[in-house]
Amino acid sequence: MSDDTLEQRLAGVPAEAPGTRIFTGPAVVASCIGFVLIGALQAFYGPAIPALREKFDLSPSGAGLALSAHFVGGVVGVLLFDQLYGRVGNRPVIGASYLLMAGGAAGFALAPSWPAALLAALLAGFGFGGIDYGLNQLFAVGFGERSTAMLNILNAHFGVGAILGPALIAAVGAAHYGAVFLVFALVTLPLMLCLGGIRRTTARTAGGETSPGGARRQARGRSLGTVLAVFVTLYVLHVAIEAGVGGWEPTHLETVGYSAGAAATATSVYWLMMTVGRFLVAPIALRFSAQSIIAVSCAGMTGCLLLAGVPGLAPYAYAGVGLFIAPIFPTGLPWLSRAAPRARRAGALVIAASMVGGVAAGPVLGRAIELFGVRAVPLLLCVLSAACLAATVWLIGATRPAEGR
């Protein structure tokens, strides 16, 4: 198979028209590897907590600040790099993001004090945010009708990294977390060799972004601010569900009678199903609209969370939640690009909001569980899922005029 044919199959654009292509084949592969790495980085911190507590004499909450610093850096990185993309181009910003992530990871490994380690985690988070936002946004506009499928493939690789990260820490031992972070930093740097395969600038109308006429059609329907607010709500809630299941599934399963080992295994299956779901939906996205996929996902997620309230079905129902929730994050971005004018800025907002949702989910859900008990976990999450479904139904009606249907 020729290189042109390979690139055509990966990017879904004619090989004879490279001027319209944002990614070459090797750049697509490098981007997927980059998402494996950011998934692994996010997953490194939790398993390293025992060693961090011992090395820096920390309380559990103090050690947990490493992941918080990472997410704070990620939110700031998304918003900062969104500003830079329009000024300095795609390649320099993604390259700087890789450098920041690698430098932060190396700094975290070698930090002589806890404040220095937190600063390094913040720095790595900056790079994480730039890569997460930058590649998601470029994939959302860079593959035409195949953007939804390619975004699901890209984000599935994030899940691969999230599964491999804890396994690597477990293999070498938490006490050697520094070596893992250093190797991570070294593995990140070669990805910069593939930056030449990313188009330096991206047209505002690439991938179906709303044209001025599309903006006027939407203005006659729903206001851009309202549509964007509901998209943000959808993203915050579904990420809160994702984090809520991951954080509370083991406790809920143990409460209803499962062993700790069985509960941990079921939770691992939940994360695995999220990754599998994104790979599975890629070919489906070539035949069905983003709206249809997200509507089915939210409905299935809601049904599975209802079933999770039945102890005998709970582990299987949580696996179903992982399968149904998987496509929502990547599939919503092309929909947003088509539905909202100036969607590049909107994409930054919803990705940043999703990170905030992941951070806020823990304490908010924890407070609700204090009030209603651990057995109420599936029902509480089901309420959030029903809100996701309602938001999706509203968005389908509200964005139809903007998309010319």
Side-chain angles (χ1 to χ4, degrees):
M1 179 184 298
S2 69
D3 290 341
D4 282 347
T5 303
L6 174 62
E7 292 173 17
Q8 182 177 350
R9 292 184 61 186
L10 286 170
V13 297
E16 66 271 18
T20 62
R21 183 173 51 208
I22 293 179
F23 291 93
T24 63
V28 171
V29 174
S31 298
C32 290
I33 294 173
F35 258 59
V36 172
L37 291 178
I38 66 172
L41 176 63
Q42 180 176 311
F44 283 156
Y45 293 102
I49 282 179
L52 294 172
R53 291 186 62 192
E54 181 177 352
K55 179 177 180 179
F56 297 110
D57 191 24
L58 302 170
S59 66
S61 60
L65 288 176
L67 187 57
S68 296
H70 170 85
F71 274 117
V72 169
V75 172
V76 175
V78 169
L79 299 177
L80 173 64
F81 291 128
D82 173 60
Q83 300 294 324
L84 294 178
Y85 273 109
R87 300 179 182 179
V88 300
N90 301 323
R91 296 177 196 166
V93 176
I94 293 177
S97 298
Y98 281 133
L99 283 176
L100 286 170
M101 189 170 71
F108 190 81
L110 302 173
S113 66
W114 186 234
L118 290 179
L119 182 61
L122 185 72
L123 187 68
F126 286 157
F128 172 97
I131 296 164
D132 188 17
Y133 164 67
L135 292 180
N136 265 311
Q137 184 59 31
L138 291 178
F139 269 59
V141 302
F143 297 96
E145 294 181 354
R146 298 191 180 191
S147 287
T148 301
M150 294 301 295
L151 270 167
N152 276 280
I153 291 174
L154 179 71
N155 282 273
H157 284 85
F158 182 98
V160 171
I163 293 169
L164 292 177
L168 289 173
I169 296 288
V172 303
H176 302 291
Y177 76 89
V180 175
F181 276 86
L182 281 176
V183 170
F184 171 91
L186 293 174
V187 171
T188 299
L189 295 177
L191 294 180
M192 298 185 67
L193 298 176
C194 296
L195 292 178
I198 301 175
R199 190 177 179 186
R200 184 174 180 84
T201 58
T202 308
R204 297 285 293 174
T205 57
E209 284 200 45
T210 306
S211 64
R216 287 192 294 271
R217 286 193 298 271
Q218 180 170 303
R220 291 198 298 268
R222 304 289 183 170
S223 72
L224 174 60
T226 303
V227 169
L228 182 55
V230 179
F231 264 111
V232 168
T233 300
L234 173 63
Y235 268 71
V236 169
L237 290 178
H238 102 268
V239 173
I241 295 167
E242 176 186 315
V245 173
W248 285 99
E249 179 184 354
T251 303
H252 174 248
L253 290 179
E254 289 183 49
T255 300
V256 298
Y258 291 88
S259 67
T265 299
T267 305
S268 297
V269 171
Y270 161 74
W271 291 112
L272 177 62
M273 292 302 287
M274 279 191 61
T275 301
V276 171
R278 286 171 176 168
F279 280 118
L280 290 177
V281 85
I284 296 173
L286 298 176
R287 299 185 59 188
F288 296 94
S289 68
Q291 300 93 307
S292 299
I293 292 171
I294 293 179
V296 171
S297 294
C298 289
M301 181 170 64
T302 303
C304 287
L305 285 169
L306 277 175
L307 291 176
V310 181
L313 299 177
Y316 310 100
Y318 280 127
V321 174
L323 189 66
F324 280 111
I325 202 173
I328 297 176
F329 183 98
T331 303
L333 294 176
W335 183 11
L336 178 61
S337 290
R338 293 190 301 270
R342 300 179 300 279
R344 186 179 63 83
R345 188 61 39 80
L349 182 59
V350 297
I351 291 175
S354 71
M355 294 182 182
V356 173
V359 173
V364 172
L365 187 58
R367 177 57 180 163
I369 290 170
E370 289 177 7
L371 295 174
F372 300 104
V374 174
R375 289 178 179 267
V377 166
L379 181 59
L380 292 170
L381 294 174
C382 186
V383 171
L384 298 183
S385 184
C388 286
L389 179 58
T392 301
V393 171
W394 187 92
L395 284 169
I396 289 173
T399 61
R400 185 174 291 115
E403 295 180 6
R405 288 196 299 269

